[in-house]
Amino acid sequence: LNYRHGTGHGVGAALNVHEGPQSISARFGNTTPLAARMICSNEPGYYEDGNFGVRIENLVEIVEADTPNRFGGASFFGFKALTLVPISTKLINPDLLSPEEVAWLDKYHATVWEQVSPRLAGKPAEHLEWLRKNTRPLTEQLA
């Protein structure tokens, strides 16, 4: 799928919109590989010219992934979410998601709840209620 923009870019001190040195993109000149502890945006999207577009954007830390195979001792990377905001499920058609994708979304929302809800102590009750409503498992949110 070519959605005609990069999937991610570096985030750093200069606050440039697409700050490197790393990038997850087909842009020419991208020669810096991802490395552990880099911060990167993760922003997959889909656009239909003249119709609509949708994009989910988070910041992630590049972390070494625990994989069952190391192929000659090589390490592999994954993402650890830094931006912990619920992903809106209003436009999700669950019939188009695999069980693994639903599990990923539910796990992400559980992490958002676990990390953010304690920070709402002492805030208006409706804040915590909104967070709970929007971090429930997908099947509950769409019921």
Side-chain angles (χ1 to χ4, degrees), residues 82-103:
L82 297 176
T83 310
L84 296 173
V85 176
I87 295 172
S88 177
T89 59
K90 291 178 183 177
L91 298 178
I92 291 178
N93 178 346
D95 296 334
L96 299 176
L97 298 180
S98 69
E100 294 82 10
E101 290 167 329
V102 171

Side-chain angles (χ1 to χ4, degrees), residues 7-105:
T7 301
H9 52 78
V11 178
L15 299 178
N16 186 348
V17 173
H18 296 108
E19 189 164 335
Q22 78 278 19
S23 178
I24 303 171
S25 171
R27 282 184 262 165
F28 295 107
N30 179 20
T31 60
T32 302
L34 297 178
R37 304 206 55 197
M38 284 182 166
I39 305 300
C40 194
S41 69
N42 179 20
E43 47 187 283
Y46 181 78
Y47 299 93
E48 286 285 338
D49 289 339
N51 289 314
F52 66 90
V54 62
R55 185 191 303 202
I56 297 171
E57 184 167 350
N58 283 336
L59 294 182
V60 296
E61 177 186 1
I62 309 301
V63 296
E64 190 167 327
D66 183 20
T67 59
N69 300 302
R70 287 297 177 137
F71 304 108
S75 60
F76 292 85
F77 296 120
F79 296 142
K80 176 185 172 189
L82 297 176
T83 310
L84 296 173
V85 176
I87 295 172
S88 177
T89 59
K90 291 178 183 177
L91 298 178
I92 291 178
N93 178 346
D95 296 334
L96 299 176
L97 298 180
S98 69
E100 294 82 10
E101 290 167 329
V102 171
W104 180 91
L105 183 62

